[in-house]
Amino acid sequence: MSKKTGTQPALHKVIMVGSGGVGKSALTLQFMYDEFIEDYEPTKADSYRKKVVLDGEEVQIDILDTAGQEDYAAIRDNYFRSGEGFLCVFSITEEESFQATQEFREQILRVKNGDNIPFLLVGNKGDLYDKRKISIAEAQARAQQWNVHYVETSAKTRENVDKVFYDLMREIRSRKIDDTKVSNGHGKEKSKIKRLKCCIL
Amino acid sequence: MGPLPIVTGISPKEGPPGTRVIIRGEYLGKEPNDVTGLLICGCDCLLSAEWKSSNKIIARSGPGKGRGDIIISTKSGGKGSCTVQFRGYHETIGPLKESAVWVEEAPLPGLSWGSRSLSHSTYHLEDPLGLSVEENEKKFPEDDLHEMFPEGSGDLGSENFEPNWFLLEHHHATSFDDLKVGLSYLKRKVDGQKEGQLSFLKDNVSSVMEQMDTLFLLKDKFEEDMKKHNTDTTTKIEKAINGANKLFEDVLSRRETADATRHALAVMTRYKFLFFLPVNIEHNIKHGDFDLIMSDYARARNLFGKFETPIFKQILADVAATINNLKISLHSKLKDMPTTLDQQKKIIRNLIILGFEGDPGWDAINSTYKYIKDQLILNREDHIAAESIQLDAEAGNIHYLGKQKSENNIQYEKHKKISNSNILLDTQNNTPPRIAFLEDIIEFILETFPEFWKLGQAYFNGELQIKPDKMKQNEFKQYVVNAVKLCCTLIRSAILPQNSDTELQWPHYSSSKQSNIIEIILLWLPHCIRLVQSLHSSLTNLEIPNESVEITSKLLLDLRIHSMIIELKKTADQVKGLSNKENWQLDYDSEYGAITQLPSEFEKLVSQAIQKIKESILETKRKEIPVLTNPTAKQELTVLINKIFLNFVQTLEVLGMISEDHDHAIAVSQLIGSPTPYSENDSSELTWEQRLLAMLSNCRYTRIIIYPKLSVQFHHQGFPSIDEPIRQCSGALSILEKRMIETYVELKSDPLVGTIEPSMYLGHFEWDTCLKPIDLRPYAKEILTNITAVYADVHRLVPKLLYRIISEIVETVAEELSRLMSCVTKFNSYGKVQARIDVMGLQRVLHQFMNENASCFFNEALEAVLPIDEYESNIIEEILNNFLKKMSLQLSCFIAVCPTKE
Ligand SMILES: Nc1nc2c(ncn2[C@@H]2O[C@H](COP(=O)(O)OP(=O)(O)OP(=O)(O)O)[C@@H](O)[C@H]2O)c(=O)[nH]1
Ligand SMILES: [Mg+2]
């Protein structure tokens, strides 16, 4: 219904990726509804969308919360294609989840075909510092290598939750502005090339 | 009207009909009844809706297909909107896809009905445009199609067939010209169909004719059969149908079983995790991987806990039961002893991981405590049993025990043989049961107690991941104290039976056995002290409550005092026994005269004793009560030292005063004719008067030399002062000395004095018939000779007492002389001169050894003789001078030596 009303505010599509249980859903729900879910219920694919004010401008954020569980890995490719920005989440208390970010990053780059994708590396469960397995330095090193930012969050205490979403939206927005500039020039050709490559994949 | 409901979140965003979805948003109703409508993809799902809060509703999606809105209506707000959408899809389930439902494996209808291909069925096989199908890789993404045509479908047979979809799906890379060709092809086909029945018949005329022929043939055959068999064919056909049905029934039932198996298999794989859970847990239990068990269990509960399916519930219950059993078995394992601290900690940690309710830490403490207690008691019983076996065996062999090994070699050999079969027997070489008991329990305590204490520490410091019950700290302390107390009490009752007053006494045996046991224990006391000391120091190092350390240090103190007393008593006995060891080897000391080995033997014994006490008994360590500051110990020490000293005084007395041959009377007089008594004594065989003198000098030597020496030694070794015993015993010694002197003087002077009178009147001598005097009379010379003999002895044995003894003897002699002189009824003139010569000669010779009494007696003796004139006195003087000159050699001892007057 809302779709049909007049001029739509800009829509930024965010995708949550990361291993199972790292707190993607927890971050999303905290951001969306200020609630924290203690129980773990593996996600398949959840969709959220709401209006937010980004630097004075009303925009819509669309969050696709994907499955971390391996069982659902097959359906990821499709989802990633539609994303404009990615929050790549791991849990600072779990070594494997940090290792997995590498694979997620590669998969995203493959699907999105490029490395200038709005992307944030997020270390969640910062409130469990006494169970920390991944040092800040270690995570930051990886972020630097990817040329992205690293932020530590806690879905439980809401620390940095807004920050990661807003930071990512800003990156998406500036990326879009860059894109329109480019498309004024050789826009058509570029999109054609892109489509072709896509098809080959 | 309130705000409109708005749905902003959906989880999951797609799924087949019946998917459980969580709908999130705002103003989704104030209460469950406020919600009046819920549409998902146009399907009313209100019935399945479960209102959680105004932000959250849980529902199940309906049969709607494709992407669609989620619209919630409330009484308070009205019909709302949404920012997210749900996509319903029908899962296409093929033979290769896992599924919980039966998959129809029969070929799709239309593909093989009829041998002749009817035109519409070919749509599925070949392209309706007559174009070649593109390679699969270039396929247009299906997702985008869904997005573009939410309501549409690419299925040619579908109601909402969307041609654009179809074209994009199958021909999006086909050139426009090709498409045009396709279109004309399609048109041709449609036109062909439009021509109607006739053209259809025309197309198929040959087969129509064929069919006609067959039908006629059939009719003829049938009529022929009717005629031939004249039976109703319908019954046969019915039979056949029944038979066929039966056949199919079998097939159908088989299909059903297959169905069920397939279903079960599908469920199995889908919920593999859950079904393997019990096995996995079993496996992990074996490997002790409790973390994994718990996380698996929690995961299973999370994933399947909400299902109502009985099989899931059953499995979860089974798993819960297994875990419960595990908890119980672990908990009972906690009580298995002996164990190690690490083991206990591990079990406790696992119990915590498994979510054990209760306090496994405290349980571990409790069971360890109980174990320690029980083991101590058990150990005691074992050794009591061993002791009684040993005693019985000894009773059977009592003959041996009564004798010394060396005395009876055959018995010894025999005993050796027996002892091979029963090691306990040989008390000489093997540790006696009580000592073995001590060793065992101390070793046991040293092994278990530190772990017990550390367990407690770990528990109360929260190292066990349990919240410790601080209230129990006191109880634990009591446990510690009790354990130490029990251990100490047991030690006491085993080796200090006279000192313990508990019911834990070792059995009392008949007195001879008992004293035998006690004697053996005494031999082992220093060993015991060392053992207890090691116990004490290890407990001290643990920093356990002072109360417990005090118990051990008290025990140690008692043990030390006890063995000190034993040691001192032994010394006292040995000192007493010295009297049997005296060998009368004389040693001449310029100061003290002749002394025997006795005083130095005594000194040796005492200093050995204190050395030993110092080394093996008083050596104390940290947190021990120093023995000598203990008043009881001090008092005991003083008393026993006193006893030792007094024993020595007694020994001296026994040796000096009691003459075994009292009847051996000294030959009274040389003049009477017996041989000289002294010559029969060679140096090794002393007369008992000589022994008396030797003991006398021993006394003096002890008093003056040994006592101060010992006093210094005690002081050096850190013992309390022994001045008091020394003072007492010096007094006793002085008295003894005095008595000895008296005895000696009496002994010597009695026979000497006794000989004077008979010698004086020897040969019917009478003072009134005396002849002209020319020299001292023989009796006077005899007196001098006798005194000289005594002098020689005393001078040799106790030179310091020379004056004292000789002067006393001289006194008695003088007294006797004065008595004899005063008894003379009549002197003739020669007699009176002779008497004076005798008396004065003695007076002159003995003047150095004359005390006041003696000179009085001499004067009295002279007075008893009639007075003399000058002439006579000249004669006397001449004779005396002559005598002194003549006898100067013999008398030199009286004159030359000037003994000190003591
Ligand atoms: N203490 C703490 N717990 C968190 C935090 N974030 C998430 N959790 C918990 O971690 C568990 C998993 O969180 P989810 O958000 O469901 O994990 P997910 O990444 O969405 O997992 P998938 O959906 O399977 O990919 C839940 O029990 C949360 O309560 C956090 O910041 N701090
Ligand atoms: Mg999730």
Side-chain angles (χ1 to χ4, degrees):
Chain A
M1 265 176 101
S2 58
K3 267 181 171 174
K4 283 163 190 165
T5 52
T7 45
Q8 282 284 326
L11 176 66
H12 301 310
K13 290 188 177 175
V14 172
I15 296 191
M16 312 291 295
V17 301
S19 303
V22 297
K24 297 183 295 295
S25 304
L27 285 169
T28 310
L29 292 174
Q30 184 62 268
F31 175 70
M32 287 289 297
Y33 308 108
D34 294 340
E35 72 178 306
F36 177 67
I37 309 286
E38 276 289 349
D39 299 335
Y40 174 47
E41 203 174 318
T43 310
K44 244 183 106 183
D46 296 353
S47 172
Y48 301 92
R49 181 181 293 193
K50 75 167 178 183
K51 286 197 182 102
V52 292
V53 177
L54 175 65
D55 304 329
E57 175 197 0
E58 188 175 78
V59 298
Q60 277 205 87
I61 181 167
D62 182 293
I63 303 169
L64 179 63
D65 180 15
T66 65
Q69 297 292 349
E70 268 313 304
D71 316 16
Y72 304 113
I75 55 179
R76 271 187 219 134
D77 258 23
N78 270 339
Y79 296 137
F80 287 3
R81 210 167 277 137
S82 66
E84 296 172 331
F86 296 85
L87 289 180
C88 185
V89 188
F90 69 91
S91 162
I92 62 158
T93 65
E94 199 200 337
E95 178 79 39
E96 287 97 314
S97 74
F98 180 64
Q99 295 316 328
T101 57
Q102 187 77 46
E103 287 147 36
F104 282 106
R105 171 81 180 171
E106 279 161 17
Q107 194 176 5
I108 290 165
L109 295 188
R110 200 171 61 226
V111 172
K112 294 304 285 183
N113 184 35
D115 56 3
N116 191 17
I117 314 292
F119 184 104
L120 243 60
L121 183 60
V122 178
N124 189 38
K125 306 202 184 176
D127 54 305
L128 302 176
Y129 46 85
D130 50 340
K131 291 191 188 146
R132 178 188 284 279
K133 297 269 161 57
I134 307 298
S135 69
I136 295 179
E138 206 177 331
Q140 242 150 12
R142 181 165 289 185
Q144 220 151 40
Q145 185 198 328
W146 293 345
N147 198 19
V148 300
H149 289 289
Y150 172 64
V151 184
E152 288 206 346
T153 58
S154 165
K156 193 168 184 176
T157 65
R158 208 166 205 280
E159 181 162 320
N160 281 341
V161 169
D162 282 339
K163 179 183 165 62
V164 288
F165 284 98
Y166 279 95
D167 281 1
L168 186 66
M169 279 194 284
R170 287 190 190 101
E171 278 191 35
I172 295 173
R173 190 181 53 189
S174 63
R175 171 73 200 260
K176 279 176 180 166
I177 292 166
D178 289 351
D179 274 1
T180 38
K181 271 183 202 157
V182 172
S183 63
N184 284 343
H186 335 272
K188 266 179 192 159
E189 222 163 296
K190 200 194 171 191
S191 65
K192 216 176 193 175
I193 292 164
K194 217 176 136 189
R195 172 55 53 85
L196 269 173
K197 276 191 181 165
C198 234
C199 289
I200 288 159
L201 277 171
Chain B
M1 271 289 205
L4 280 174
I6 175 164
V7 173
T8 59
I10 178 81
S11 163
K13 70 185 184 75
E14 55 196 4
T19 305
R20 177 176 173 274
V21 291
I22 300 170
I23 299 164
R24 286 193 169 86
E26 279 163 84
Y27 318 116
L28 306 182
K30 290 173 184 155
E31 43 154 356
N33 289 336
D34 194 18
V35 183
T36 55
L38 169 58
L39 291 176
I40 301 176
C41 299
C43 294
D44 187 348
C45 302
L46 187 60
L47 264 181
S48 66
E50 191 185 333
W51 187 89
K52 292 281 180 187
S53 72
S54 69
N55 291 110
K56 186 168 164 185
I57 288 175
I58 298 177
R60 285 192 185 274
S61 70
K65 260 181 91 178
R67 207 173 283 272
D69 285 343
I70 305 144
I71 306 295
I72 288 175
S73 314
T74 57
K75 269 184 228 164
S76 54
K79 193 171 177 188
S81 63
C82 63
T83 60
V84 289
Q85 288 185 309
F86 183 76
R87 188 172 77 84
Y89 59 82
H90 292 259
E91 260 176 321
T92 39
I93 299 159
L96 294 176
K97 172 122 181 153
E98 289 175 7
S99 166
V101 297
W102 169 254
V103 178
E104 191 62 63
E105 279 176 295
L108 288 169
L111 278 181
S112 59
W113 276 123
S115 55
R116 265 159 243 284
S117 55
L118 295 175
S119 39
H120 80 270
S121 64
T122 59
Y123 292 155
H124 297 277
L125 300 174
E126 51 187 63
D127 193 86
L129 301 178
L131 299 170
S132 63
V133 182
E134 291 172 10
E135 312 101 278
N136 263 350
E137 293 95 277
K138 287 189 181 167
K139 246 189 161 166
F140 197 84
E142 195 182 342
D143 219 49
D144 289 5
L145 286 171
H146 280 295
E147 191 125 334
M148 279 186 256
F149 313 103
E151 240 94 284
S153 158
D155 186 352
L156 284 170
S158 163
E159 282 172 48
N160 26 1
F161 172 69
E162 181 68 60
N164 295 338
W165 179 315
F166 179 84
L167 284 178
L168 278 172
E169 187 173 13
H170 297 284
H171 301 291
H172 82 271
T174 315
S175 69
F176 190 59
D177 289 341
D178 287 350
L179 284 176
K180 270 202 266 184
V181 173
L183 180 64
S184 60
Y185 172 82
L186 187 60
K187 260 190 191 141
R188 265 206 315 280
K189 274 205 124 176
V190 173
D191 287 348
Q193 273 183 9
K194 270 185 188 155
E195 275 171 37
Q197 266 184 349
L198 198 61
S199 72
F200 182 73
L201 279 179
K202 264 188 208 159
D203 277 356
N204 300 293
V205 77
S206 64
S207 54
V208 171
M209 295 306 287
E210 224 172 275
Q211 280 165 16
M212 293 287 279
D213 289 350
T214 314
L215 280 174
F216 282 125
L217 215 82
L218 255 173
K219 194 191 165 233
D220 289 349
K221 267 265 185 206
F222 187 67
E223 275 167 0
E224 218 172 277
D225 277 3
M226 286 288 272
K227 256 185 234 160
K228 224 198 235 159
H229 302 287
N230 200 16
T231 39
D232 190 1
T233 29
T234 46
T235 48
K236 279 192 176 169
I237 290 172
E238 263 164 20
K239 249 190 203 162
I241 290 172
N242 275 345
N245 274 352
K246 232 189 210 156
L247 258 170
F248 270 97
E249 237 163 56
D250 261 11
V251 172
L252 281 176
S253 77
R254 262 209 305 279
R255 191 184 112 166
E256 239 156 58
T257 9
D259 215 350
T261 316
R262 217 182 292 260
H263 181 77
L265 275 174
V267 173
M268 280 289 270
T269 36
R270 203 178 244 197
Y271 302 110
K272 201 161 71 186
F273 167 65
L274 184 64
F275 290 116
F276 277 111
L277 192 60
V279 182
N280 275 340
I281 286 186
E282 214 71 50
H283 176 83
N284 286 334
I285 287 175
K286 251 183 235 141
H287 288 246
D289 215 340
F290 297 102
D291 281 318
L292 220 58
I293 294 174
M294 266 340 263
S295 72
D296 277 357
Y297 179 54
R299 195 168 144 216
R301 256 202 323 226
N302 256 334
L303 289 176
F304 304 105
K306 293 190 199 95
F307 285 81
E308 289 299 313
T309 326
I311 181 90
F312 289 179
K313 285 196 159 170
Q314 172 69 39
I315 288 181
L316 281 178
D318 281 358
V319 168
T322 312
I323 289 178
N324 225 28
N325 282 343
L326 177 63
K327 275 189 234 170
I328 291 167
S329 83
L330 272 182
H331 189 236
S332 68
K333 220 164 146 196
L334 204 53
K335 293 186 185 133
D336 279 357
M337 297 285 166
T339 177
T340 62
L341 182 57
D342 287 341
Q343 181 72 12
Q344 278 178 322
K345 278 185 172 171
K346 210 169 104 195
I347 295 176
I348 291 169
R349 206 187 51 236
N350 288 334
L351 277 172
I352 300 292
I353 291 173
L354 292 179
F356 181 78
E357 294 108 16
D359 193 343
W362 183 247
D363 290 347
I365 289 175
N366 254 324
S367 37
T368 313
Y369 172 59
K370 190 164 169 303
Y371 170 69
I372 291 177
K373 242 171 46 181
D374 291 353
Q375 281 299 307
L376 288 178
I377 301 284
L378 264 180
N379 217 316
R380 169 177 170 274
E381 278 158 13
D382 283 356
H383 284 95
I384 287 180
E387 186 177 72
S388 100
I389 289 172
Q390 180 184 345
L391 285 174
D392 285 352
E394 275 167 7
N397 214 14
I398 197 98
H399 196 45
Y400 161 67
L401 273 181
K403 306 197 172 199
Q404 287 294 317
K405 255 197 273 186
S406 50
E407 278 180 17
N408 200 331
N409 257 325
I410 306 149
Q411 278 287 347
Y412 178 62
E413 287 307 319
K414 192 172 146 201
H415 170 70
K416 274 276 231 193
K417 265 174 215 146
I418 294 164
S419 71
N420 280 342
S421 59
N422 186 352
I423 343 159
L424 288 167
L425 257 170
D426 199 349
T427 50
Q428 311 265 332
N429 301 326
N430 278 303
T431 323
R434 293 190 188 213
I435 307 302
F437 167 64
L438 212 67
E439 287 173 350
D440 283 359
I441 64 169
I442 286 177
E443 191 189 345
F444 172 74
I445 286 287
L446 288 182
E447 262 170 27
T448 54
F449 195 81
E451 302 241 304
F452 175 56
W453 172 248
K454 281 180 199 148
L455 177 66
Q457 294 306 99
Y459 174 72
F460 288 109
N461 291 339
E463 284 164 32
L464 300 181
Q465 281 132 14
I466 315 170
K467 197 170 166 303
D469 189 348
K470 293 278 182 202
M471 305 293 288
K472 296 206 171 114
Q473 213 147 9
N474 254 336
E475 207 171 323
F476 176 65
K477 192 177 150 192
Q478 205 52 49
Y479 281 177
V480 170
V481 174
N482 282 351
V484 175
K485 206 185 260 168
L486 178 64
C487 178
C488 288
T489 316
L490 288 174
I491 294 173
R492 258 176 216 276
S493 58
I495 56 169
L496 293 174
Q498 60 279 29
N499 181 309
S500 64
D501 47 7
T502 53
E503 67 277 20
L504 291 170
Q505 288 278 21
W506 283 49
H508 219 276
Y509 297 98
S510 68
S511 62
S512 71
K513 284 177 181 174
Q514 188 71 18
S515 61
N516 194 12
I517 289 172
I518 289 172
E519 226 166 85
I520 288 166
I521 290 173
L522 294 184
L523 290 176
W524 289 81
L525 266 179
H527 181 60
C528 296
I529 288 178
R530 264 194 309 274
L531 284 173
V532 174
Q533 195 173 28
S534 71
L535 172 71
H536 175 74
S537 65
S538 99
L539 291 186
T540 314
N541 287 340
L542 283 181
E543 318 255 316
I544 62 169
N546 259 341
E547 221 175 300
S548 340
V549 180
E550 271 163 23
I551 296 171
T552 51
S553 76
K554 178 76 175 52
L555 170 65
L556 204 47
L557 177 70
D558 285 354
L559 262 179
R560 288 183 195 287
I561 294 180
H562 180 68
S563 38
M564 182 181 84
I565 291 172
I566 298 295
E567 192 56 45
L568 288 174
K569 276 189 179 152
K570 203 172 82 193
T571 311
D573 286 348
Q574 282 169 338
V575 166
K576 212 174 205 167
L578 282 179
S579 60
N580 296 325
K581 294 204 180 123
E582 179 59 285
N583 60 3
W584 302 106
Q585 282 292 324
L586 292 182
D587 222 351
Y588 295 96
D589 183 285
S590 57
E591 271 289 298
Y592 300 97
I595 49 171
T596 65
Q597 300 296 322
L598 203 56
S600 53
E601 283 296 324
F602 166 68
E603 187 195 346
K604 214 157 81 196
L605 281 177
V606 176
S607 54
Q608 266 171 4
I610 64 169
Q611 194 67 31
K612 195 164 165 197
I613 290 171
K614 165 106 181 144
E615 276 167 11
S616 65
I617 300 171
L618 297 186
E619 199 61 57
T620 52
K621 293 233 175 80
R622 192 158 77 96
K623 283 214 183 173
E624 254 189 64
I625 308 165
V627 179
L628 292 178
T629 59
N630 180 282
T632 350
K634 228 163 154 177
Q635 199 191 334
E636 287 283 354
L637 180 75
T638 318
V639 168
L640 284 165
I641 293 290
N642 211 352
K643 177 147 195 256
I644 292 172
F645 281 25
L646 282 176
N647 274 359
F648 187 62
V649 174
Q650 255 173 39
T651 304
L652 289 170
E653 181 172 349
V654 165
L655 288 174
M657 299 289 278
I658 295 161
S659 74
E660 63 274 31
D661 46 2
H662 219 329
D663 48 344
H664 134 187
I666 289 175
V668 181
S669 165
Q670 298 163 286
L671 301 180
I672 291 167
S674 62
T676 52
Y678 306 111
S679 63
E680 68 187 28
N681 294 311
D682 48 26
S683 61
S684 65
E685 267 293 320
L686 300 177
T687 61
W688 82 268
E689 294 95 329
Q690 284 171 325
R691 293 182 177 191
L692 185 65
L693 284 182
M695 281 308 135
L696 187 55
S697 63
N698 277 347
C699 280
R700 285 165 43 81
Y701 185 75
T702 306
R703 188 159 53 83
I704 296 161
I705 301 291
I706 303 287
Y707 278 179
K709 249 177 153 173
L710 285 177
S711 170
V712 167
Q713 205 175 348
F714 269 70
H715 181 74
H716 274 318
Q717 304 276 26
F719 282 80
S721 148
I722 49 163
D723 290 352
E724 182 54 27
I726 287 184
R727 205 182 51 73
Q728 277 187 26
C729 295
S730 295
L733 273 183
S734 300
I735 293 168
L736 178 63
E737 281 167 42
K738 212 167 142 206
R739 270 179 53 218
M740 283 176 153
I741 291 172
E742 274 165 14
T743 313
Y744 183 77
V745 167
E746 204 176 304
L747 219 62
K748 283 293 176 189
S749 54
D750 273 3
L752 198 150
V753 168
T755 53
I756 296 178
E757 194 168 8
S759 293
M760 192 186 271
Y761 294 106
L762 197 73
H764 304 292
F765 173 84
E766 286 300 338
W767 287 107
D768 56 348
T769 58
C770 185
L771 298 173
K772 184 176 184 261
I774 44 171
D775 199 353
L776 265 73
R777 285 200 52 212
Y779 82 90
K781 286 182 181 167
E782 190 193 44
I783 289 172
L784 284 177
T785 319
N786 281 345
I787 292 178
T788 311
V790 175
Y791 182 101
D793 264 356
V794 175
H795 182 71
R796 187 161 65 103
L797 298 172
V798 236
K800 288 269 166 166
L801 293 182
L802 202 55
Y803 174 78
R804 182 144 168 222
I805 293 172
I806 302 297
S807 65
E808 280 194 41
I809 291 175
V810 168
E811 187 185 324
T812 51
V813 169
E815 190 183 359
E816 177 69 1
L817 269 181
S818 88
R819 184 186 70 83
L820 286 174
M821 288 305 164
S822 57
C823 287
V824 176
T825 41
K826 196 166 177 248
F827 290 96
N828 64 6
S829 59
Y830 283 144
K832 124 186 132 177
V833 172
Q834 183 68 54
R836 270 181 187 270
I837 288 169
D838 293 348
V839 173
M840 283 171 73
L842 288 172
Q843 209 177 8
R844 292 258 174 101
V845 171
L846 297 174
H847 80 271
Q848 293 221 55
F849 293 92
M850 244 182 311
N851 55 20
E852 259 171 59
N853 285 344
S855 47
C856 275
F857 284 130
F858 272 113
N859 286 337
E860 271 171 35
L862 284 179
E863 275 160 25
V865 184
L866 292 174
I868 46 156
D869 52 33
E870 190 142 335
Y871 171 70
E872 282 164 340
S873 82
N874 280 342
I875 290 172
I876 289 169
E877 209 51 45
E878 198 178 316
I879 289 174
L880 278 180
N881 281 339
N882 230 345
F883 167 74
L884 288 175
K885 210 185 272 165
K886 212 166 61 192
M887 299 289 284
S888 69
L889 202 65
Q890 289 90 328
L891 300 177
S892 60
C893 63
F894 296 113
I895 293 150
V897 181
C898 182
T900 43
K901 297 185 183 181
E902 226 179 60

